[in-house]
Amino acid sequence: MAKTEKKLYLGIELGSTRIKAVLISGDYTPIAIGSHNWENRLENGVWTYSIQDIWQGLQASYKAMAADYESKHDTKLTNLSGIGISAMMHGYLPLDSSLNPLTEFRTWRNTSTGEAAAALTSLFGFNIPLRWCIAHLYQAILNGESHIPQISTITTLAGYVHLMLTGHNVLGVGDASGAFQINSTTGDYHAGDMAAFDNLIAKKSYPWKLADIMPKVLPAGAAAGHLTPEGAKLLDPSGNLAPGIPLCPPEGDAGTGMVATNSVASGTGNVSAGTSIFAMIVLNKSFSKLHHEIDMVTTPDGKPVAMVHCNNGTSDLSAWVELFHNAHNIIAGKASDISTVYENLYRAALEGDADCGGLMAVNYLSGEHNTGFEEGRPLFMRLADANFTVPNFIRTMLFSSMATLKLGMDILTEEEGVKITQLMGHGGLFTTKGVAQKLMAGALDVPVSVMETASEGGAWGIALLAAYMAHTDMTLDKFLDSCVFANNAGSTLQPEITDTQGFNVFMKRFTAALKVERAAVDNFK
């Protein structure tokens, strides 16, 4: 076991566009940060990151964090009290008995599993989203892919990294709930549905049962293995990091977002807004019926959660900001800081017309299951008499990033009577203080709060879960309330009626614009 001089906990999250490492002290404050930018690629019709990308990115983010720590403390980082790994939920990563990937990593962004997801939803009487691991597995079976008999395990991205670092094939219950349905009573996979799946594929005579290839499910706080010497070298090739450090169960970005916003108790909720956008509401009662637009997942300690997940968040918006950035550089004849461009453009959106002045955008870079799109075509258009200004344009892009989320949230509030009194916001969309927060409060007609730590996001959240391993004498929500967030300042913005009314007009046009999006997907090849 590595000796620890003081309490230090490391959280690493592999997000859609950035791998981030956050080191926290014993008082749960971030003291060193490192990051590495990366992008998924569409290769042969599959959204993916290469295995090489994964390890290069992890090593780069760890190296940057360790250098930040060394510069501040004049000592190398060698020992830690705990480590946690988090990543984008869902997708498909099958491994053989030697832990080699059998296919490319198929991310959550892929929407090619419609046949499988529909069949499993019907079989289980439970919504199986397109991006879940089990949907990808069954679609691969339906497609007759040759790797199926060789599968030793299927896992998520966080589970894969954790396995390579520790040798333990486990998932935190929140991440596992994006692999297969979780029984919140037992805190494990739904045994009846696992048996039903085995019966469904029995004629294939594969050399495994589903239980054989699914990672073990662990709740928050459970021991999930220790960093092996090989794992230490994988994470820190310099050799400074000592093996023997305990790791908490690996989690998905949805679960770490709940932790980072103190939204794990029943009745709480948060919205994560980045490359994808999703809202998580911790439930205190079951639904009246199945909703294909709503995923049922869990908190990291196993409570049932309604998740409204949209594949398309800020990608189109970011592309337009980059275009403005490039245009400014060309016109000014010198380079500018893109963070300043984001700040100024976002603030300009507050000066736009409440309904965006007749401008419209559909932000679908990829398919969007909630509205029935297997592919996306980013789309911008305007009425002939539109008020075509920069503030209206940026406001349109911001509203577009929230529009599909609104459709799912309306199901929760209007059809299921879920009462949402406040949402905690986090993710890149909230970086410019007060802008997206204000517009989202108006769009969803609910107060939106953002904490000072919101920008640290899921990497901070998984670091907190690593720290929680030493505090399992209390529940996770009690630990967060009393130990982490007792003095954590934040701000809350109430919905303004002009924003809400303007967004409602925008939403009517957005719904109509989906017919144009359908024509674009069908005809613009």
Side-chain angles (χ1 to χ4, degrees):
M1 179 70 66
K3 182 182 178 182
T4 303
E5 300 295 335
K6 54 185 176 180
K7 298 295 184 182
L8 295 173
Y9 300 94
L10 172 64
I12 302 178
E13 182 160 276
L14 296 93
S16 301
T17 59
R18 185 170 59 159
I19 301 174
K20 188 171 185 178
V22 172
L23 186 70
I24 65 173
S25 60
D27 65 356
Y28 316 111
T29 303
I31 59 172
I33 297 172
S35 65
H36 170 78
N37 293 331
W38 71 338
E39 285 288 347
N40 56 180
R41 297 185 295 270
L42 185 62
E43 296 182 349
N44 300 316
V46 175
W47 290 100
T48 187
Y49 303 85
S50 73
I51 298 300
Q52 183 180 23
D53 289 340
I54 293 168
W55 292 111
Q56 286 181 346
L58 278 166
Q59 292 166 1
S61 62
Y62 179 87
K63 181 178 180 180
M65 179 280 303
D68 186 29
Y69 177 83
E70 184 175 352
S71 70
K72 293 173 179 174
H73 300 274
D74 196 28
T75 184
K76 292 188 181 298
L77 185 63
T78 58
N79 296 323
L80 300 168
S81 301
I83 299 174
I85 301 296
S86 173
M88 300 167 281
M89 289 180 72
H90 319 123
Y92 187 58
L93 191 46
L95 308 176
D96 66 16
S97 58
S98 298
L99 304 184
N100 295 312
L102 290 165
T103 71
E104 70 281 282
F105 169 45
R106 300 171 185 176
T107 77
W108 54 270
R109 181 160 245 167
N110 291 285
T111 55
S112 58
T113 58
E115 181 183 4
L120 294 178
T121 296
S122 177
L123 176 67
F124 302 151
F126 179 89
N127 184 41
I128 301 296
L130 301 179
R131 65 191 177 279
W132 277 25
C133 301
I134 191 63
H136 279 278
L137 173 63
Y138 188 46
Q139 190 65 56
I141 291 172
L142 292 176
N143 294 345
E145 297 189 35
S146 60
H147 72 274
I148 301 297
Q150 305 170 53
I151 293 175
S152 175
T153 187
I154 63 170
T155 189
T156 65
L157 179 54
Y160 168 71
V161 172
H162 183 96
L163 174 58
M164 299 304 290
L165 295 181
T166 67
H168 286 252
N169 187 23
V170 300
L171 290 178
V173 63
D175 203 19
S177 69
F180 196 83
Q181 180 186 357
I182 293 294
N183 182 332
S184 288
T185 301
T186 65
D188 205 346
Y189 301 118
H190 193 287
D193 285 350
M194 292 190 83
F197 184 85
D198 286 336
N199 290 334
L200 178 65
I201 64 170
K203 292 182 179 179
K204 301 288 187 179
S205 299
Y206 295 131
W208 48 259
K209 300 291 187 183
L210 189 56
D212 300 332
I213 65 172
M214 297 295 287
K216 182 180 179 181
V217 181
L218 295 176
H226 295 81
L227 189 66
T228 64
E230 297 81 7
K233 288 290 288 184
L234 263 178
L235 191 56
D236 180 20
S238 74
N240 291 324
L241 184 63
I245 299 166
L247 272 78
C248 68
E251 267 299 345
D253 53 354
T256 55
M258 286 186 275
V259 171
T261 55
N262 194 20
S263 303
V264 299
S266 295
T268 59
N270 78 91
V271 59
S272 173
T275 303
S276 63
I277 185 168
F278 54 86
M280 315 282 293
I281 310 298
V282 186
L283 300 176
N284 50 31
K285 67 173 185 176
S286 59
F287 280 174
S288 62
K289 62 180 181 180
L290 183 151
H291 296 283
H292 293 280
E293 302 86 354
I294 309 295
D295 303 356
M296 293 302 302
V297 292
T298 78
T299 63
D301 56 345
K303 297 186 187 72
V305 174
M307 180 181 191
V308 180
H309 183 282
C310 310
N311 284 352
N312 295 280
T314 61
S315 292
D316 191 37
L317 169 62
S318 296
W320 281 104
V321 173
E322 181 63 40
L323 185 72
F324 277 101
H325 179 219
N326 291 341
H328 176 272
N329 291 347
I330 292 170
I331 294 168
K334 60 181 180 180
S336 60
D337 179 12
I338 194 168
S339 62
T340 302
V341 177
Y342 268 103
E343 174 91 15
N344 292 340
L345 287 176
Y346 274 36
R347 295 211 175 282
L350 299 180
E351 306 302 319
D353 296 327
D355 65 351
C356 301
L359 278 59
M360 177 50 57
V362 179
N363 66 324
Y364 293 177
L365 180 65
S366 64
E368 189 57 73
H369 58 283
N370 279 337
T371 48
F373 286 90
E374 67 288 349
E375 297 179 42
R377 300 289 185 274
L379 184 69
F380 170 74
M381 53 189 165
R382 58 192 171 103
L383 298 173
D385 61 348
N387 187 14
F388 193 23
T389 65
V390 169
N392 277 342
F393 184 87
I394 299 301
R395 189 181 183 95
T396 297
M397 293 299 160
L398 286 163
F399 270 1
S400 180
S401 71
M402 306 170 189
T404 306
L405 179 70
K406 170 66 171 175
L407 296 174
M409 295 295 283
D410 284 348
I411 293 172
L412 285 179
T413 57
E414 296 175 9
E415 297 187 32
E416 290 294 341
V418 175
K419 304 297 183 184
I420 304 172
T421 58
Q422 178 176 294
L423 286 173
M424 303 300 300
H426 65 109
L429 192 66
F430 297 102
T431 301
T432 300
K433 189 174 181 179
V435 178
Q437 182 183 6
K438 177 179 184 293
L439 295 182
M440 187 167 288
L444 302 182
D445 198 17
V446 63
V448 174
S449 299
V450 176
M451 294 180 177
E452 291 180 356
T453 51
S455 62
E456 308 306 342
W460 182 58
I462 192 66
L464 294 177
L465 287 174
Y468 177 60
M469 289 190 293
H471 295 274
T472 51
D473 56 327
M474 62 180 81
T475 61
L476 179 58
D477 56 314
K478 179 67 174 177
F479 165 70
L480 295 175
D481 275 339
S482 60
C483 298
V484 180
F485 290 96
N487 299 309
N488 198 324
S491 65
T492 301
L493 293 181
Q494 300 292 327
E496 297 182 12
I497 190 169
T498 53
D499 289 333
T500 300
Q501 291 175 342
F503 186 79
N504 289 341
V505 173
F506 177 88
M507 276 303 300
K508 290 179 181 178
R509 291 172 176 161
F510 181 86
T511 303
L514 292 179
K515 296 178 181 178
V516 184
E517 176 71 10
R518 169 49 61 191
V521 169
D522 291 345
N523 296 283
F524 186 55
K525 305 291 187 181

mmCIF file of all heavy atoms in Angstrom, residues 396-421:
data_model
loop_
_atom_site.group_PDB
_atom_site.id
_atom_site.type_symbol
_atom_site.label_atom_id
_atom_site.label_comp_id
_atom_site.label_asym_id
_atom_site.label_seq_id
_atom_site.Cartn_x
_atom_site.Cartn_y
_atom_site.Cartn_z
ATOM 1 N N THR A 396 -30.366 32.455 -30.405
ATOM 2 C CA THR A 396 -30.963 31.325 -31.119
ATOM 3 C C THR A 396 -30.161 30.052 -30.895
ATOM 4 O O THR A 396 -30.715 28.976 -30.642
ATOM 5 C CB THR A 396 -31.039 31.633 -32.625
ATOM 6 O OG1 THR A 396 -31.902 32.756 -32.828
ATOM 7 C CG2 THR A 396 -31.564 30.447 -33.418
ATOM 8 N N MET A 397 -28.839 30.166 -31.004
ATOM 9 C CA MET A 397 -27.995 28.998 -30.803
ATOM 10 C C MET A 397 -28.074 28.477 -29.371
ATOM 11 O O MET A 397 -28.087 27.267 -29.130
ATOM 12 C CB MET A 397 -26.541 29.333 -31.158
ATOM 13 C CG MET A 397 -26.322 29.615 -32.631
ATOM 14 S SD MET A 397 -26.747 28.165 -33.639
ATOM 15 C CE MET A 397 -27.002 28.942 -35.236
ATOM 16 N N LEU A 398 -28.138 29.369 -28.409
ATOM 17 C CA LEU A 398 -28.287 28.960 -27.018
ATOM 18 C C LEU A 398 -29.645 28.295 -26.784
ATOM 19 O O LEU A 398 -29.727 27.233 -26.139
ATOM 20 C CB LEU A 398 -28.115 30.167 -26.095
ATOM 21 C CG LEU A 398 -26.680 30.676 -25.937
ATOM 22 C CD1 LEU A 398 -26.661 32.090 -25.358
ATOM 23 C CD2 LEU A 398 -25.883 29.735 -25.033
ATOM 24 N N PHE A 399 -30.699 28.898 -27.293
ATOM 25 C CA PHE A 399 -32.035 28.302 -27.155
ATOM 26 C C PHE A 399 -32.102 26.941 -27.847
ATOM 27 O O PHE A 399 -32.711 25.998 -27.337
ATOM 28 C CB PHE A 399 -33.092 29.239 -27.738
ATOM 29 C CG PHE A 399 -33.670 30.233 -26.758
ATOM 30 C CD1 PHE A 399 -33.235 30.275 -25.446
ATOM 31 C CD2 PHE A 399 -34.650 31.126 -27.151
ATOM 32 C CE1 PHE A 399 -33.765 31.189 -24.542
ATOM 33 C CE2 PHE A 399 -35.195 32.044 -26.264
ATOM 34 C CZ PHE A 399 -34.748 32.072 -24.950
ATOM 35 N N SER A 400 -31.470 26.829 -29.015
ATOM 36 C CA SER A 400 -31.502 25.560 -29.738
ATOM 37 C C SER A 400 -30.863 24.442 -28.925
ATOM 38 O O SER A 400 -31.326 23.294 -28.946
ATOM 39 C CB SER A 400 -30.792 25.710 -31.083
ATOM 40 O OG SER A 400 -30.797 24.494 -31.801
ATOM 41 N N SER A 401 -29.802 24.768 -28.183
ATOM 42 C CA SER A 401 -29.134 23.749 -27.371
ATOM 43 C C SER A 401 -30.012 23.257 -26.232
ATOM 44 O O SER A 401 -29.763 22.186 -25.667
ATOM 45 C CB SER A 401 -27.826 24.307 -26.806
ATOM 46 O OG SER A 401 -28.058 25.267 -25.800
ATOM 47 N N MET A 402 -31.065 24.004 -25.884
ATOM 48 C CA MET A 402 -31.952 23.639 -24.783
ATOM 49 C C MET A 402 -33.291 23.074 -25.252
ATOM 50 O O MET A 402 -34.054 22.532 -24.446
ATOM 51 C CB MET A 402 -32.232 24.884 -23.916
ATOM 52 C CG MET A 402 -31.005 25.601 -23.410
ATOM 53 S SD MET A 402 -31.427 27.204 -22.642
ATOM 54 C CE MET A 402 -29.793 27.904 -22.392
ATOM 55 N N ALA A 403 -33.581 23.197 -26.540
ATOM 56 C CA ALA A 403 -34.940 22.927 -27.031
ATOM 57 C C ALA A 403 -35.344 21.467 -26.886
ATOM 58 O O ALA A 403 -36.452 21.157 -26.423
ATOM 59 C CB ALA A 403 -35.056 23.375 -28.487
ATOM 60 N N THR A 404 -34.489 20.534 -27.285
ATOM 61 C CA THR A 404 -34.858 19.127 -27.202
ATOM 62 C C THR A 404 -34.966 18.687 -25.749
ATOM 63 O O THR A 404 -35.818 17.856 -25.396
ATOM 64 C CB THR A 404 -33.844 18.257 -27.965
ATOM 65 O OG1 THR A 404 -33.726 18.758 -29.304
ATOM 66 C CG2 THR A 404 -34.291 16.814 -28.026
ATOM 67 N N LEU A 405 -34.125 19.240 -24.873
ATOM 68 C CA LEU A 405 -34.243 18.967 -23.443
ATOM 69 C C LEU A 405 -35.617 19.381 -22.933
ATOM 70 O O LEU A 405 -36.249 18.664 -22.142
ATOM 71 C CB LEU A 405 -33.157 19.724 -22.681
ATOM 72 C CG LEU A 405 -33.172 19.564 -21.161
ATOM 73 C CD1 LEU A 405 -32.745 18.167 -20.765
ATOM 74 C CD2 LEU A 405 -32.263 20.600 -20.495
ATOM 75 N N LYS A 406 -36.120 20.510 -23.392
ATOM 76 C CA LYS A 406 -37.426 21.007 -22.966
ATOM 77 C C LYS A 406 -38.536 20.012 -23.303
ATOM 78 O O LYS A 406 -39.459 19.798 -22.506
ATOM 79 C CB LYS A 406 -37.692 22.361 -23.641
ATOM 80 C CG LYS A 406 -39.102 22.912 -23.496
ATOM 81 C CD LYS A 406 -39.455 23.279 -22.071
ATOM 82 C CE LYS A 406 -40.787 24.022 -22.029
ATOM 83 N NZ LYS A 406 -41.223 24.294 -20.648
ATOM 84 N N LEU A 407 -38.437 19.367 -24.468
ATOM 85 C CA LEU A 407 -39.469 18.403 -24.857
ATOM 86 C C LEU A 407 -39.542 17.254 -23.851
ATOM 87 O O LEU A 407 -40.635 16.811 -23.474
ATOM 88 C CB LEU A 407 -39.176 17.855 -26.258
ATOM 89 C CG LEU A 407 -39.220 18.876 -27.406
ATOM 90 C CD1 LEU A 407 -38.760 18.229 -28.711
ATOM 91 C CD2 LEU A 407 -40.624 19.454 -27.569
ATOM 92 N N GLY A 408 -38.395 16.774 -23.405
ATOM 93 C CA GLY A 408 -38.384 15.701 -22.427
ATOM 94 C C GLY A 408 -38.818 16.161 -21.047
ATOM 95 O O GLY A 408 -39.530 15.441 -20.330
ATOM 96 N N MET A 409 -38.402 17.355 -20.651
ATOM 97 C CA MET A 409 -38.783 17.871 -19.338
ATOM 98 C C MET A 409 -40.288 18.076 -19.239
ATOM 99 O O MET A 409 -40.886 17.895 -18.168
ATOM 100 C CB MET A 409 -38.050 19.178 -19.059
ATOM 101 C CG MET A 409 -36.535 19.024 -18.938
ATOM 102 S SD MET A 409 -36.024 18.018 -17.531
ATOM 103 C CE MET A 409 -36.258 19.194 -16.199
ATOM 104 N N ASP A 410 -40.925 18.428 -20.350
ATOM 105 C CA ASP A 410 -42.379 18.595 -20.339
ATOM 106 C C ASP A 410 -43.091 17.279 -20.045
ATOM 107 O O ASP A 410 -44.159 17.264 -19.415
ATOM 108 C CB ASP A 410 -42.860 19.150 -21.683
ATOM 109 C CG ASP A 410 -42.583 20.640 -21.841
ATOM 110 O OD1 ASP A 410 -42.226 21.287 -20.833
ATOM 111 O OD2 ASP A 410 -42.703 21.155 -22.968
ATOM 112 N N ILE A 411 -42.517 16.158 -20.489
ATOM 113 C CA ILE A 411 -43.102 14.851 -20.173
ATOM 114 C C ILE A 411 -43.061 14.621 -18.662
ATOM 115 O O ILE A 411 -44.036 14.159 -18.049
ATOM 116 C CB ILE A 411 -42.362 13.727 -20.919
ATOM 117 C CG1 ILE A 411 -42.601 13.862 -22.423
ATOM 118 C CG2 ILE A 411 -42.798 12.350 -20.422
ATOM 119 C CD1 ILE A 411 -41.764 12.926 -23.266
ATOM 120 N N LEU A 412 -41.932 14.938 -18.050
ATOM 121 C CA LEU A 412 -41.802 14.760 -16.608
ATOM 122 C C LEU A 412 -42.819 15.593 -15.837
ATOM 123 O O LEU A 412 -43.489 15.099 -14.929
ATOM 124 C CB LEU A 412 -40.394 15.138 -16.151
ATOM 125 C CG LEU A 412 -39.246 14.181 -16.445
ATOM 126 C CD1 LEU A 412 -37.943 14.760 -15.917
ATOM 127 C CD2 LEU A 412 -39.509 12.824 -15.836
ATOM 128 N N THR A 413 -42.920 16.859 -16.195
ATOM 129 C CA THR A 413 -43.753 17.770 -15.405
ATOM 130 C C THR A 413 -45.234 17.681 -15.757
ATOM 131 O O THR A 413 -46.093 17.717 -14.869
ATOM 132 C CB THR A 413 -43.271 19.217 -15.593
ATOM 133 O OG1 THR A 413 -43.288 19.554 -16.985
ATOM 134 C CG2 THR A 413 -41.852 19.378 -15.065
ATOM 135 N N GLU A 414 -45.543 17.539 -17.043
ATOM 136 C CA GLU A 414 -46.935 17.581 -17.465
ATOM 137 C C GLU A 414 -47.607 16.211 -17.445
ATOM 138 O O GLU A 414 -48.789 16.104 -17.079
ATOM 139 C CB GLU A 414 -47.040 18.190 -18.871
ATOM 140 C CG GLU A 414 -46.587 19.646 -18.927
ATOM 141 C CD GLU A 414 -46.568 20.212 -20.337
ATOM 142 O OE1 GLU A 414 -47.072 19.527 -21.255
ATOM 143 O OE2 GLU A 414 -46.039 21.326 -20.512
ATOM 144 N N GLU A 415 -46.875 15.154 -17.838
ATOM 145 C CA GLU A 415 -47.487 13.829 -17.894
ATOM 146 C C GLU A 415 -47.295 13.024 -16.620
ATOM 147 O O GLU A 415 -48.146 12.207 -16.270
ATOM 148 C CB GLU A 415 -46.934 13.048 -19.084
ATOM 149 C CG GLU A 415 -47.253 13.682 -20.437
ATOM 150 C CD GLU A 415 -46.827 12.797 -21.591
ATOM 151 O OE1 GLU A 415 -46.873 11.556 -21.442
ATOM 152 O OE2 GLU A 415 -46.448 13.344 -22.643
ATOM 153 N N GLU A 416 -46.189 13.225 -15.928
ATOM 154 C CA GLU A 416 -45.914 12.448 -14.719
ATOM 155 C C GLU A 416 -46.046 13.265 -13.440
ATOM 156 O O GLU A 416 -45.943 12.724 -12.345
ATOM 157 C CB GLU A 416 -44.516 11.832 -14.798
ATOM 158 C CG GLU A 416 -44.401 10.726 -15.825
ATOM 159 C CD GLU A 416 -45.248 9.502 -15.469
ATOM 160 O OE1 GLU A 416 -45.634 9.364 -14.281
ATOM 161 O OE2 GLU A 416 -45.543 8.700 -16.373
ATOM 162 N N GLY A 417 -46.302 14.563 -13.581
ATOM 163 C CA GLY A 417 -46.529 15.394 -12.410
ATOM 164 C C GLY A 417 -45.322 15.544 -11.499
ATOM 165 O O GLY A 417 -45.467 15.799 -10.296
ATOM 166 N N VAL A 418 -44.117 15.397 -12.060
ATOM 167 C CA VAL A 418 -42.908 15.560 -11.258
ATOM 168 C C VAL A 418 -42.734 17.044 -10.917
ATOM 169 O O VAL A 418 -42.759 17.896 -11.811
ATOM 170 C CB VAL A 418 -41.672 15.031 -12.009
ATOM 171 C CG1 VAL A 418 -40.402 15.323 -11.221
ATOM 172 C CG2 VAL A 418 -41.812 13.537 -12.263
ATOM 173 N N LYS A 419 -42.584 17.333 -9.646
ATOM 174 C CA LYS A 419 -42.408 18.707 -9.199
ATOM 175 C C LYS A 419 -40.911 19.045 -9.145
ATOM 176 O O LYS A 419 -40.154 18.398 -8.430
ATOM 177 C CB LYS A 419 -43.036 18.913 -7.818
ATOM 178 C CG LYS A 419 -44.514 18.555 -7.741
ATOM 179 C CD LYS A 419 -45.365 19.444 -8.636
ATOM 180 C CE LYS A 419 -46.851 19.107 -8.480
ATOM 181 N NZ LYS A 419 -47.697 19.893 -9.423
ATOM 182 N N ILE A 420 -40.525 20.028 -9.922
ATOM 183 C CA ILE A 420 -39.129 20.446 -9.948
ATOM 184 C C ILE A 420 -39.071 21.875 -9.416
ATOM 185 O O ILE A 420 -39.539 22.811 -10.060
ATOM 186 C CB ILE A 420 -38.551 20.381 -11.373
ATOM 187 C CG1 ILE A 420 -38.727 18.970 -11.956
ATOM 188 C CG2 ILE A 420 -37.083 20.777 -11.379
ATOM 189 C CD1 ILE A 420 -38.358 18.864 -13.416
ATOM 190 N N THR A 421 -38.517 22.015 -8.240
ATOM 191 C CA THR A 421 -38.479 23.340 -7.608
ATOM 192 C C THR A 421 -37.200 24.098 -7.927
ATOM 193 O O THR A 421 -37.157 25.319 -7.813
ATOM 194 C CB THR A 421 -38.614 23.208 -6.080
ATOM 195 O OG1 THR A 421 -37.552 22.365 -5.587
ATOM 196 C CG2 THR A 421 -39.947 22.580 -5.713
#
